[in-house]
Amino acid sequence: MPLRLGGVFPRYPALEPQVAFWRRVYAEWSRSQVALHDDRHMGVVYEVVDLPGDARGGLTPSQKALVQERLDYWKYRLRRLEDKLASRAPLDAADLQLARRIGEHVDVRTAIQGAAERLRYQRGLRERFKRGLEISGRYHEHFRRIFRDAGLPEELAFLPHVESSFQANARSSAGAIGIWQFTAGAAKTFMNGQDSVSARLDPIASAHGAARYLSHAYGKLGSWPLAVTSYNHGIGGMQKAKNRYGHDFERIVQDYDHPLFGFASRNYYAEFLAASEIASDPERFFPEGVAYENPLDHAPSPFVVAGDPPVQRFRPVSHEAQVESPKPSHSHDAKFSKPLHGKAGQRPVASNSHPAAQAKIKIKTVPVSRSGEKLRIARLR
């Protein structure tokens, strides 16, 4: 199957199951549904659980108990199938049905190894994504113009669908806030030193900062899959991956074994492709219609963000760089939730103080919820 291109953003065949999975999360599965799936072989979805009762906020104790019950059930089924295949024991009807389900997407004997440990659940985000589309009506044309004026692909204006669902008061556990999810450190570097809470909450100012960051990341990394993924994993982190696998982005996603390159980083580019596809053709995914909010008449910002990007304007580059020979891989059992935001390419540092605590203004924020089952679903506006 040849490489398919989506504008300047490559569509890799090996990543299509991931893109398809996130299309379902964003546009098919509602917040009252939870998908139990393999966190590596994303096409393998074992069950979609319908949650009883109110599904507007986080999971209730009874809903959590139901999800845990189904997780335990599938872990038992997967371990039993793995043991039977390893010992060549006869398979009963339930085993054969499960093997066929896995085999529709990947080789069973390969994928069954460790499948119980890769079991993960993902809550649907259809309502949240649709609300993000509605809010994006305020800003989308302004964001596109900012990227266009910086010489960057305008499709990057879709990135807030992945970061924050366009919720201006969104925050992450890493201290990133706003539509573009800037940390104070990244804002200081890419927003002309404007690292205050007010500046990072300003959609237009932070969009200028995102354009500067992505221009800089592309200049350092030389491809859009790497640059976009660095918005989650950091420039330094993606440079390490590139040093090992060059521009072979499929191998980076599938084989790069750095402990901080976890589920969120592996899926970030696929999420961006899925979100861009949905936002570009909303009638296909939301046939009931999307009530876009009126765009801003103009987009002034109280913060000084003018100036050229820190690197040359975007231009296509060759991906025929030499690929280093892979180093021996190292297995590790550590499990990580959503990696910390790494836009400045810095190593994540834990902090016990909320960034708003030192600010002179008080803000009301809602937690960001993207691809981690441990993150709460933010309230819809």
Side-chain angles (χ1 to χ4, degrees):
M1 183 176 180
L3 183 70
R4 293 193 297 152
L5 300 179
V8 297
F9 299 100
R11 295 286 296 260
Y12 300 97
L15 269 61
E16 285 303 311
Q18 291 173 255
V19 177
F21 177 87
W22 291 107
R23 280 199 304 265
R24 299 183 74 183
V25 172
Y26 290 149
E28 178 182 338
W29 295 325
S30 73
R31 64 199 315 176
S32 63
Q33 294 178 301
V34 170
L36 309 185
H37 68 99
D38 189 304
D39 75 358
R40 281 285 186 172
H41 307 292
M42 302 288 284
V44 182
V45 177
Y46 300 107
E47 180 183 6
V48 178
V49 180
D50 292 318
L51 300 175
D54 188 359
R56 288 178 295 179
L59 297 181
T60 66
S62 62
Q63 291 169 343
K64 290 179 180 178
L66 173 60
V67 172
Q68 188 60 54
E69 175 188 327
R70 301 311 297 166
L71 285 171
D72 292 341
Y73 167 78
W74 285 108
K75 285 181 180 179
Y76 166 76
R77 289 278 307 275
L78 290 166
R79 286 171 179 151
R80 185 177 71 169
L81 179 59
E82 181 178 5
D83 291 342
K84 286 187 175 182
L85 289 176
S87 62
R88 299 182 181 276
L91 304 182
D92 60 22
D95 296 327
L96 291 171
Q97 182 182 35
L98 177 56
R100 282 194 295 268
R101 178 177 299 184
I102 298 172
E104 292 174 357
H105 304 278
V106 68
D107 179 70
V108 176
R109 293 190 176 275
T110 300
I112 195 60
Q113 299 177 20
E117 285 66 45
R118 295 193 306 271
L119 186 62
R120 179 184 178 276
Y121 77 86
Q122 172 65 49
R123 194 171 181 181
L125 297 172
R126 189 179 194 274
E127 297 90 344
R128 180 181 171 89
F129 195 94
K130 183 180 178 181
R131 179 60 183 142
L133 284 174
E134 294 171 348
I135 300 171
S136 72
R138 302 179 203 168
Y139 310 110
H140 188 67
E141 289 306 317
H142 298 289
F143 290 172
R144 291 181 73 94
R145 184 176 64 251
I146 288 170
F147 286 107
R148 182 169 63 247
D149 291 347
L152 301 173
E154 295 181 29
E155 294 93 332
L156 292 169
F158 293 129
L159 201 57
H161 286 296
V162 180
E163 283 291 304
S164 65
S165 294
F166 278 84
Q167 296 191 53
N169 57 346
R171 64 173 172 83
S172 78
S173 59
I177 61 176
I179 286 178
W180 290 94
Q181 288 291 281
F182 264 90
T183 61
K188 188 172 184 179
T189 302
F190 296 102
M191 293 178 63
N192 286 355
Q194 299 284 352
D195 59 350
S196 68
V197 171
S198 298
R200 290 186 285 145
L201 287 174
D202 186 303
I204 303 303
S206 54
H208 281 282
R212 283 195 177 126
Y213 171 82
L214 288 163
S215 178
H216 180 67
Y218 181 85
K220 289 287 187 180
L221 299 168
S223 83
W224 283 116
L226 293 173
V228 168
T229 305
S230 78
Y231 207 85
N232 176 272
H233 191 62
I235 294 175
M238 293 313 299
Q239 186 62 59
K240 292 178 182 178
K242 180 183 174 183
N243 289 343
R244 184 164 182 179
Y245 294 113
H247 285 284
D248 192 342
F249 189 71
E250 289 174 298
R251 287 206 62 193
I252 290 175
V253 171
Q254 294 175 330
D255 299 333
Y256 186 49
D257 63 353
H258 193 282
L260 291 181
F261 195 74
F263 181 84
S265 296
R266 290 198 311 269
N267 281 272
Y268 195 79
Y269 184 65
E271 289 187 62
F272 169 69
L273 292 178
S276 300
E277 182 178 346
I278 297 168
S280 298
D281 190 9
E283 294 82 4
R284 173 186 166 196
F285 298 94
F286 298 96
E288 70 275 19
V290 177
Y292 287 96
E293 297 188 2
N294 293 329
L296 299 175
D297 292 334
H298 59 291
S301 173
F303 301 100
V304 179
V305 292
D308 294 329
V311 298
Q312 293 181 348
R313 292 164 66 86
F314 161 69
R315 63 183 186 279
V317 298
S318 171
H319 288 187
E320 297 179 357
Q322 293 292 325
V323 179
E324 295 185 6
S325 299
K327 299 176 182 178
S329 61
H330 301 279
S331 62
H332 50 79
D333 298 324
K335 296 291 184 180
F336 295 85
S337 59
K338 176 184 175 183
L340 299 180
H341 210 280
K343 277 193 281 292
Q346 299 171 343
R347 188 176 185 85
V349 179
S351 173
N352 292 325
S353 60
H354 191 280
Q358 300 176 355
K360 296 182 180 180
I361 63 172
K362 294 182 179 180
I363 61 170
K364 182 178 181 181
T365 59
V366 295
V368 171
S369 174
R370 281 184 38 256
S371 57
E373 69 273 15
K374 295 182 180 179
L375 301 178
R376 293 180 57 199
I377 299 295
R379 292 184 292 105
L380 292 181
R381 288 184 162 189

